[in-house]
Amino acid sequence: MPLDLSRRSLFTGAAGLTVSGLAAAGLSSCSQAATGTTEAAFPPGAIDPYLLGPAEGVALLSRNENPYGPSQSALDMIEYAATKGAYYANQEAAVMLMEMIAERNGVSPEQVVLTTGSGEVLSAIAVLYGPRGPIVAPRLFWDTTALYAANLGMAEIQRVPLTDAMEIDLAGIEAAVTPDTGLVQLCNPNNPTGLVSDPATFQAAVRRMAATTTVLVDEAYIELSDDPEANSCVPLINEGHDVIVTRTFSKIYGMAGIRLGYAIASAETAAAIRPVVMSWSPCTSYAAGIGCYEDQAFIDFSKAKVTEARDMVFATLDTLGLEHLPSQTNFVYFKSGLEANAVQAAMAERLISVRGQYMDYNEWTRVSMGKIEDVQRFCHALPEVIGA
Amino acid sequence: MPLDLSRRSLFTGAAGLTVSGLAAAGLSSCSQAATGTTEAAFPPGAIDPYLLGPAEGVALLSRNENPYGPSQSALDMIEYAATKGAYYANQEAAVMLMEMIAERNGVSPEQVVLTTGSGEVLSAIAVLYGPRGPIVAPRLFWDTTALYAANLGMAEIQRVPLTDAMEIDLAGIEAAVTPDTGLVQLCNPNNPTGLVSDPATFQAAVRRMAATTTVLVDEAYIELSDDPEANSCVPLINEGHDVIVTRTFSKIYGMAGIRLGYAIASAETAAAIRPVVMSWSPCTSYAAGIGCYEDQAFIDFSKAKVTEARDMVFATLDTLGLEHLPSQTNFVYFKSGLEANAVQAAMAERLISVRGQYMDYNEWTRVSMGKIEDVQRFCHALPEVIGA
């Protein structure tokens, strides 16, 4: 049966008003919406990119995702899985992907928990550990999943201020940990700062804290960092420390719409997390992961595009004399000197979507890398927006 | 990039032993595994169909799924969504599908909650209502999601015996409902019996009970019943009764591997359920639902195949003089006179997968409809298996 073109036309924007209406009604059935900030409020009649994805004419630089994905290797496998066995709920692809992830990370498949996006496994971890005591975390981190549990009355978040350099205050967090702590949650590289902690210092602190409580390290952006292997805490798991690492196919792999993520932990911890996970992922998503997990050419290409875009943004910020953090991710956090929400609104008028204010960091803006031409639009608009 | 054929070969069975090993280790990251019974234990070296799906040579008649799906209309949309916008997490397709479901069911989009399989929304409902009081349900129903919450210590299930005719004892359930009841959960048609309750009696009982507590009706198989419109409880929602209905794309639509389901409830109830949902579904799954939701030709074709298979099974059971229930679904529950687990094992030796014992119904076997040739194998094997 050929595609109904009227449906195609809806996909490309004709349904905008209706969708905007539903967006206004808060209709997302997704619990993963970022809560630390909101996306741009576009002018009336424009399309809300949060619900519609990258609409024609909108530079979507608010999502930390990779517009060059999914890779052809992932797309091929989605098609294969859909036509081969999507009529039965099956996990053949899940098991194979668990084996691939295990092999690459030097763990056993029993230590891998695959979920519908890493948000799901992070939420499950928050539900599992939240009732044991406070979740200790930096003031700024990707808090959506901790808030998921908090909103259900199952967790409390204890935030520790960042250092003056906007880094995670590892000493401060360590000082906050007690035997009553439910979980320490760190994001490395951190979001929205884009900063990677010094590996030796970070891992030493994680080892010490893991003697007292469970330490969760969200490595959503690790593949984008300068030295992913050195930065990762996966080796600590096999050293026997009480550490959980989560990863995602949403960022470097460009599959945010496919929803695939995973946790690596001890076999015992993985077995405790699994019964809390609420969904079972599509075979198409597992297959996509199999297709691209080892696609180094695509990873290298994506990282090169991110680096190119990031260098453009750094150059623009330097020219304007604006303070910015040395990001090792696909987003840059910079101090515009203006209210973040005003910067967001001014960019939105130009159909450029960036993040608004996080917590009380009112003069800081997070801009994501995206298609090179979209990042160029941001760089051209910025001087005007800040009145330079 | 062309598909790696070695991966293809793994998909079609070469990884069997490894997968079986993981299966034995209980490695499913899926919380939706049926718990009322287990699937067949195949002879050593054979493939576990629960993890592998329908392997070559195995008649998989234990899953209540539709081997003729997904429809071409769904497959086309999966491909479209994967190539169009899978790099961004977006809900454009979700919103469109919510509108389609709403329109067809005479509700508003705000009343629809889409999830990664209906198991997810059923689990979310159990988490939401379980802490309020016991979940009152028939002795036999699809209890996986109530058990999900029970296993987390968030729900208690209060089972009411079936009638002598194996029907849901509506009067008994109504008698068990008190203001302290957290939820009444009914499956209509019921699983594993395949029975549909008389619509007038059922709906009258639901209306009365909903004056005291929330009534959840799992309509996973409703499209397979003789008169879906008359049997559905969706109209009760718009009458203002405290009723939630869930549906799935896993059964008549043949998309169990795509994981898509939904709940319909009041806008207020839907808004309460959404924050409990843990995952965000892939755009490919939403798109698949859009592709096939109104594909009446595929629905009619699938229903005809199910009816053809069911008539074959009924005829075989009648010839053998075996009691069976008048199923209006794609599975048949029959009394073999032998231990259900022995029947399952004997069928497994012939590479035919049927369900084992449910609860204490030790002489009853559930067989699902599947490909016509697979159902024929079951019909041919049954006389030998029961020693007729």
Side-chain angles (χ1 to χ4, degrees):
Chain A
M1 188 178 300
L3 273 181
D4 176 344
L5 288 181
S6 67
R7 289 183 181 163
R8 268 185 192 260
S9 73
L10 281 165
F11 261 6
T12 51
L17 278 182
T18 311
V19 169
S20 298
L22 288 169
L27 261 201
S28 167
S29 55
C30 158
S31 59
Q32 312 302 341
T35 52
T37 176
T38 56
E39 292 212 316
F42 280 82
I47 289 161
D48 180 340
Y50 189 74
L51 285 173
L52 274 178
E56 198 65 30
V58 172
L60 196 46
L61 306 176
S62 51
R63 308 287 290 278
N64 296 354
E65 291 164 359
N66 173 11
Y68 297 100
S71 65
Q72 192 58 47
S73 54
L75 294 173
D76 286 345
M77 287 299 286
I78 290 171
E79 185 183 349
Y80 176 68
T83 53
K84 195 265 179 180
Y87 39 110
Y88 282 111
N90 72 70
Q91 299 213 299
E92 67 174 335
V95 172
M96 186 171 170
L97 182 54
M98 287 161 71
E99 292 173 338
M100 291 173 73
I101 292 168
E103 185 179 344
R104 182 154 161 190
N105 288 280
V107 301
S108 74
E110 290 82 357
Q111 295 180 254
V112 180
V113 182
L114 280 176
T115 53
T116 310
S118 66
E120 185 176 40
V121 76
L122 284 162
S123 291
I125 292 165
V127 165
L128 186 62
Y129 289 92
R132 302 180 187 184
I135 297 176
V136 177
R139 182 152 179 74
L140 288 181
F141 74 116
W142 192 63
D143 58 8
T144 302
T145 59
L147 287 170
Y148 166 85
N151 290 337
L152 296 178
M154 300 179 75
E156 177 197 330
I157 307 174
Q158 184 181 337
R159 294 177 190 262
V160 176
L162 300 178
T163 68
D164 290 343
M166 307 278 279
E167 293 185 316
I168 297 172
D169 180 4
L170 288 165
I173 288 176
E174 208 174 333
V177 169
T178 76
D180 291 333
T181 299
L183 184 76
V184 169
Q185 182 163 354
L186 305 170
C187 194
N188 190 41
N190 200 14
N191 179 8
T193 66
L195 295 178
V196 175
S197 299
D198 170 70
T201 311
F202 189 80
Q203 289 163 22
V206 169
R207 280 189 186 90
R208 285 191 302 270
M209 292 189 286
T212 306
T213 188
T214 303
V215 182
L216 165 62
V217 186
D218 175 0
E219 297 187 350
Y221 302 95
I222 198 92
E223 300 91 345
L224 287 156
S225 71
D226 294 345
D227 191 346
E229 288 215 10
N231 290 324
S232 177
C233 278
V234 166
L236 279 62
I237 297 168
N238 280 342
E239 288 170 15
H241 298 287
D242 190 5
V243 172
I244 308 170
V245 169
T246 59
R247 302 257 184 85
T248 181
F249 285 83
S250 291
K251 307 304 177 186
I252 187 86
Y253 289 102
M255 302 210 309
I258 299 300
R259 314 305 305 143
L260 187 65
Y262 59 95
I264 299 176
S266 71
E268 184 185 3
T269 297
I273 295 169
R274 277 191 197 95
V276 190
V277 173
M278 206 178 270
S279 85
W280 186 353
S281 305
C283 59
T284 39
S285 299
Y286 294 140
I290 290 169
C292 67
Y293 189 60
E294 301 286 6
D295 189 345
Q296 198 59 44
F298 177 76
I299 293 169
D300 292 345
F301 168 80
S302 297
K303 200 162 176 176
K305 286 292 182 188
V306 166
T307 304
E308 181 183 350
R310 206 168 55 197
D311 286 347
M312 287 166 49
V313 172
F314 284 161
T316 299
L317 294 169
D318 288 340
T319 301
L320 295 171
L322 297 183
E323 182 184 353
H324 56 84
L325 303 180
S327 169
Q328 288 189 32
T329 62
N330 59 345
F331 50 91
V332 174
Y333 204 42
F334 68 96
K335 191 173 187 177
S336 71
L338 301 176
E339 288 288 330
N341 290 344
V343 172
Q344 183 184 47
M347 285 288 177
E349 282 171 18
R350 294 157 175 83
L351 294 182
I352 299 168
S353 176
V354 300
R355 282 278 157 176
Q357 181 174 326
Y358 282 89
M359 306 289 289
D360 50 359
Y361 291 84
N362 58 317
E363 294 187 352
W364 288 80
T365 291
R366 193 194 78 181
V367 59
S368 305
M369 303 307 98
K371 287 182 181 161
I372 297 298
E373 59 269 30
D374 288 341
V375 176
Q376 277 169 336
R377 280 177 58 193
F378 166 82
C379 290
H380 290 149
L382 188 58
E384 198 176 276
V385 163
I386 67 162
Chain B
M1 187 179 298
L3 273 179
D4 176 344
L5 288 182
S6 68
R7 288 183 182 164
R8 267 187 192 260
S9 73
L10 282 166
F11 261 5
T12 51
L17 278 181
T18 311
V19 170
S20 297
L22 287 170
L27 261 201
S28 167
S29 56
C30 156
S31 61
Q32 311 303 343
T35 51
T37 176
T38 57
E39 292 212 315
F42 279 83
I47 289 161
D48 180 340
Y50 190 72
L51 283 173
L52 274 177
E56 197 67 28
V58 172
L60 196 46
L61 305 178
S62 51
R63 307 285 292 277
N64 297 353
E65 291 165 358
N66 173 11
Y68 297 99
S71 65
Q72 192 58 48
S73 53
L75 294 173
D76 286 346
M77 287 298 286
I78 290 171
E79 185 183 349
Y80 176 67
T83 53
K84 196 263 177 183
Y87 40 109
Y88 281 113
N90 72 70
Q91 299 214 298
E92 67 174 337
V95 172
M96 185 170 169
L97 182 54
M98 288 162 71
E99 291 174 338
M100 291 174 73
I101 292 168
E103 185 179 344
R104 181 153 162 191
N105 288 280
V107 302
S108 74
E110 290 82 356
Q111 295 180 254
V112 180
V113 182
L114 279 176
T115 52
T116 309
S118 66
E120 184 176 40
V121 75
L122 283 162
S123 291
I125 292 164
V127 165
L128 186 62
Y129 289 92
R132 302 181 188 186
I135 297 176
V136 177
R139 183 152 178 73
L140 288 182
F141 74 116
W142 193 62
D143 58 8
T144 302
T145 59
L147 287 170
Y148 166 85
N151 290 337
L152 296 178
M154 299 181 74
E156 176 198 330
I157 307 174
Q158 184 181 338
R159 295 178 191 260
V160 176
L162 301 178
T163 68
D164 291 343
M166 308 276 279
E167 292 184 315
I168 296 171
D169 180 3
L170 289 165
I173 288 176
E174 209 175 330
V177 169
T178 75
D180 292 333
T181 298
L183 184 76
V184 170
Q185 182 164 353
L186 306 170
C187 193
N188 190 39
N190 199 14
N191 177 10
T193 65
L195 296 177
V196 175
S197 298
D198 169 70
T201 311
F202 188 80
Q203 288 163 23
V206 169
R207 280 189 186 90
R208 286 191 302 269
M209 291 189 287
T212 306
T213 189
T214 303
V215 182
L216 165 62
V217 186
D218 174 1
E219 297 187 348
Y221 302 96
I222 198 91
E223 299 92 344
L224 287 155
S225 70
D226 295 344
D227 191 347
E229 290 218 6
N231 290 325
S232 176
C233 278
V234 166
L236 278 62
I237 297 168
N238 280 343
E239 287 170 17
H241 298 288
D242 189 6
V243 172
I244 308 170
V245 169
T246 59
R247 302 258 184 86
T248 181
F249 285 83
S250 292
K251 308 304 177 184
I252 187 87
Y253 289 102
M255 301 210 310
I258 299 300
R259 314 305 306 145
L260 187 64
Y262 58 96
I264 300 176
S266 71
E268 185 185 2
T269 297
I273 294 169
R274 277 190 197 96
V276 191
V277 173
M278 206 176 270
S279 85
W280 187 353
S281 306
C283 59
T284 39
S285 299
Y286 295 140
I290 291 169
C292 69
Y293 189 60
E294 301 286 6
D295 188 346
Q296 198 59 44
F298 177 75
I299 294 169
D300 292 345
F301 168 79
S302 297
K303 200 162 175 176
K305 286 292 184 187
V306 166
T307 304
E308 181 183 348
R310 206 167 57 196
D311 287 347
M312 286 166 51
V313 171
F314 284 161
T316 299
L317 295 170
D318 287 340
T319 300
L320 296 170
L322 297 183
E323 182 183 351
H324 56 84
L325 303 180
S327 168
Q328 287 189 33
T329 62
N330 59 345
F331 50 91
V332 174
Y333 204 43
F334 69 95
K335 191 172 186 178
S336 70
L338 300 176
E339 288 288 329
N341 291 343
V343 171
Q344 183 184 46
M347 285 287 177
E349 284 172 17
R350 294 159 175 82
L351 294 182
I352 299 168
S353 176
V354 299
R355 281 277 158 177
Q357 181 174 327
Y358 282 89
M359 306 289 291
D360 51 0
Y361 291 84
N362 59 316
E363 296 188 349
W364 287 80
T365 292
R366 193 193 79 180
V367 58
S368 304
M369 303 308 99
K371 288 183 182 159
I372 297 298
E373 58 269 30
D374 289 340
V375 175
Q376 277 169 336
R377 279 175 59 192
F378 167 82
C379 291
H380 290 150
L382 189 59
E384 199 175 277
V385 163
I386 66 162

